[in-house]
Every structure is written in structure tokens, then in C-alpha cells.
Amino acid sequence: MVTLTITAVAACGTDADQAPAAVDAPVEGVRVTLVDAGEAPKQPLVWFTAPEEQQVEYAYTRGLEQHTEVDQAMKRRLDAEAAASSDSASVEPSSAETSSSESADASAPESASGTDAANTDAAESGSNSDSELNKEDFNVPYSEVTMKLPLTANIQTDGDVRTSTVTVGTPTGDNTERNEDIASAEGFRMTSEQDSSGRTQTRSFSAPEGATDSARASVEEALVQMNNLPLVFPSEPLGQGAKWTVSNRVDDGGMSLLQDVTYTVTSKQNKTVTLAVSVDRRPATQFLAGTDLKILDVSTESSGQITVDLTHPLPQRGSVNLTTTTRYGKDDSATEVVQKSTSKSTWS
């Protein structure tokens, strides 16, 4: 992984047409694994370069829903442990301790009261962790937001490296209150250097001088999500039905995930290729960043299909839908926080 700094940089100079200053962005390494080379005839899939610019609209939809659930089996176990703890606290006194019946009778009310308090404390201690997780703050109804980016892509090559420049038109979104703000990011640019297989070597972002911080961040997030689906070809010759996996690391809502994107060739005509796309994700860390919540389970549901022209850097059309369900919890709690995040990338 190439680790570099991302910052907003204003354009320099007085020429209105001058490109804004660029800053380097992180580029995650990828691993390409061939699963099936497909049917004959076979030939290598590689990216080419054409002088014509490409225009496509990229729409990115992001959704989130969160709620709590109780693991009944764990709850029964914790309740049993709490009951056992309360029983041990109420053991009857020995004969040596009860040599005087009068003193025992006199102390009985106080002892009973103390036992009741011990039982109450033990029962409450068994549910403290659950009550901490059973807060309304953890319940978030599903909502989603969509941003649309008109993109213009140009590509050139020196024979070894393909350099693509993607320029953003006027961004819009279904949150109309923010449209005036995000429109200030018109002219945002992303420049990438790749080899003929599609493996990215460098990437930089350029924010226009007039872009607000929030507009820059929103457009950058959408482009990062698009880049999280890298299309890199294996070196082997491929035919109809060929399948391979591109593995990388991505960030989803502050959680680091290991990702496998599987591509399958469903059709190929000249330099136009249609691919089925599926995505699988699993946690790269054990805990949610900044909390003591353990990541208990991650499951992924996905579907997608894209059509690419091998002479252009972006998909011509298609979409990839992804739903990731993550369960968080604690070792001493029966309550789990269930978070469902959705993302949809569409090219048209």
C-alpha cells in the first residue's frame, strides 16, 4: 500500500482554465486470482487507449439502518450465572456462628434484609451490560442518500502507463438542501496511472479553488467508493465464462474490511466486455474503531453487472449493489448491535 496524505489544495495562478493543484491519494494493493479461464477461444484481456473522451454519469447511493437484538441463549446463560452468584451470597451460617439463639433471632431481620440486597445486586449486575447496549441511541431507522456525478474521462499513454483524467461536472443529490453546496465541487479531478491490466500505480485528487470542504469531501467519498471496485485483469488468456477474483482492503463506515470482488465474463464483442460482479467482505480487525464493541459477524449480499469498453477507463453502464450486515457486541452482554449498510454504484 502506498500511504500518502490527502489534503484540499487550492488552484495556483491566475489562469481561469489552469488545472487545480493535485494531491496524492492512497492506493491499496490488489491481488488477482484466476478461478476459471473460461471456454475457447481465449485471449488476454487488456486495457487500450483511445483519443475520444468518455462521458458517463456515476450515481452513488449509500444507506444505513441499525437496531439491537438479544441473543436469548446467551441471556439464559448470563441469568443462570447471576442466579448462581446470588445463591453463593446467601449461604446459611454455621453452628459456631449461631451459639446464641437470642443473638441469631435479633440479627435475623437485618440478615434477611442483607440477603435480599445481595440477591438484588447480583441480579442487577447480570444485566448491567445489556442495559448499556439497550439504548435508543443504537436504533437508527433506515435512510439513504444518492449523489450523481457527471464524469468526463480522457486517457493517454506513453506505451507503458495509461494515464486517465476524470473530471466531475456539476454534482447533484436527492438531498436538495445540499445541492447548492456540492455544486461548488464542479471541476473536481481524479488522475490515475495504471498498467495495461488495470492495476493502479498512482492516484491524485484535485479540488477546485471554490469548492467548500463539505462538497470536496462528498465528491471524494463517492469517487473512493467507485475505486473500491477495482477491475484488474489476470495475465492468463480468458474466454467466455472466465472468472477471477480481485482482493483488496476497503474502509466502510470506519471499519476496515478485506474484500474479494469476483468478475465473470458473460459476453465479449470486439473491445466491449460484459461482466457479472459479486462482492464478499470480512472484517480486517476484531473491534469497532474507537469502541470496546467486538465485531461478532459480518455477512455480505451482492449483485451486479457492468459493461466496459476496453478503450475507456470507466464502465459504460451497469450497477453493483452491496449490502453488508455487521453484528457488534460484548463478551458479557446478550445484546447485539446489528448494523446494515447498503451501497449502490451505477454507471449510465
Side-chain angles (χ1 to χ4, degrees):
M1 173 182 175
V2 181
T3 303
L4 299 167
T5 304
I6 304 177
T7 56
V9 177
C12 301
T14 58
D15 187 350
D17 296 327
Q18 184 177 359
V23 291
D24 293 321
V27 176
E28 287 285 351
V30 301
R31 184 180 72 255
V32 180
T33 304
L34 179 64
V35 178
D36 187 342
E39 304 173 357
K42 304 174 185 177
Q43 62 183 15
L45 285 180
V46 295
W47 293 98
F48 297 90
T49 301
E52 299 85 7
E53 70 178 19
Q54 178 188 19
Q55 292 188 338
V56 64
E57 181 180 79
Y58 173 65
Y60 171 61
T61 301
R62 177 78 169 175
L64 180 69
E65 183 266 339
Q66 185 172 275
H67 64 276
T68 57
E69 293 181 0
V70 176
D71 184 333
Q72 295 297 334
M74 178 176 284
K75 185 176 186 301
R76 287 191 294 270
R77 179 177 64 80
L78 292 174
D79 288 345
E81 292 175 355
S85 176
S86 66
D87 288 344
S88 64
S90 58
V91 176
E92 292 186 7
S94 65
S95 57
E97 294 171 331
T98 57
S99 56
S100 172
S101 58
E102 292 183 359
S103 61
D105 291 341
S107 62
E110 183 178 354
S111 299
S113 175
T115 300
D116 289 343
N119 289 340
T120 301
D121 291 343
E124 289 180 349
S125 65
S127 60
N128 277 346
S129 297
D130 288 345
S131 64
E132 290 175 2
L133 289 181
N134 261 323
K135 294 180 179 179
E136 290 295 328
D137 293 346
F138 283 99
N139 295 318
V140 180
Y142 182 80
S143 63
E144 65 178 33
V145 62
T146 298
M147 174 180 282
K148 296 181 178 180
L149 304 179
L151 304 177
T152 300
N154 293 278
I155 192 164
Q156 57 185 347
T157 182
D158 61 5
D160 295 320
V161 177
R162 300 166 66 252
T163 302
S164 65
T165 301
V166 177
T167 304
V168 178
T170 303
T172 58
D174 53 13
N175 183 355
T176 56
E177 295 180 355
R178 288 205 60 213
N179 277 343
E180 183 177 352
D181 176 66
I182 61 176
S184 66
E186 179 182 1
F188 193 103
R189 293 185 182 182
M190 177 178 71
T191 302
S192 305
E193 292 184 342
Q194 300 171 325
D195 62 19
S196 60
S197 73
R199 193 181 298 269
T200 300
Q201 300 168 346
T202 67
R203 178 177 292 121
S204 63
F205 291 134
S206 307
E209 183 176 7
T212 64
D213 288 344
S214 58
R216 177 197 58 77
S218 296
V219 171
E220 186 175 303
E221 178 187 358
L223 292 175
V224 167
Q225 293 303 318
M226 184 174 69
N227 294 330
N228 279 346
L229 299 170
L231 177 50
V232 183
F233 298 126
S235 58
E236 295 86 352
L238 305 173
Q240 180 75 13
K243 179 185 293 186
W244 68 96
T245 298
V246 180
S247 303
N248 61 330
R249 185 187 294 259
V250 299
D251 181 87
D252 183 21
M255 181 170 61
S256 181
L257 297 167
L258 301 176
Q259 172 181 271
D260 295 323
V261 185
T262 300
Y263 296 99
T264 304
V265 177
T266 60
S267 70
K268 182 180 184 300
Q269 185 174 8
N270 298 323
K271 289 184 172 61
T272 300
V273 183
T274 299
L275 303 164
V277 185
S278 63
V279 182
D280 181 66
R281 289 177 169 180
R282 57 197 182 279
T285 57
Q286 192 175 15
F287 291 89
L288 179 63
T291 75
D292 59 351
L293 290 178
K294 180 181 291 186
I295 300 172
L296 304 176
D297 181 65
V298 176
S299 60
T300 307
E301 296 179 6
S302 67
S303 63
Q305 178 175 286
I306 59 173
T307 298
V308 297
D309 181 334
L310 297 177
T311 65
H312 293 307
L314 303 175
Q316 289 181 307
R317 59 185 178 274
S319 64
V320 178
N321 303 311
L322 180 63
T323 299
T324 303
T325 302
T326 308
R327 292 180 175 270
Y328 305 98
K330 298 180 179 181
D331 292 334
D332 60 349
S333 172
T335 303
E336 298 176 356
V337 179
V338 182
Q339 186 181 85
K340 180 179 292 186
S341 63
T342 61
S343 67
K344 181 178 182 179
S345 292
T346 303
W347 297 263
S348 60

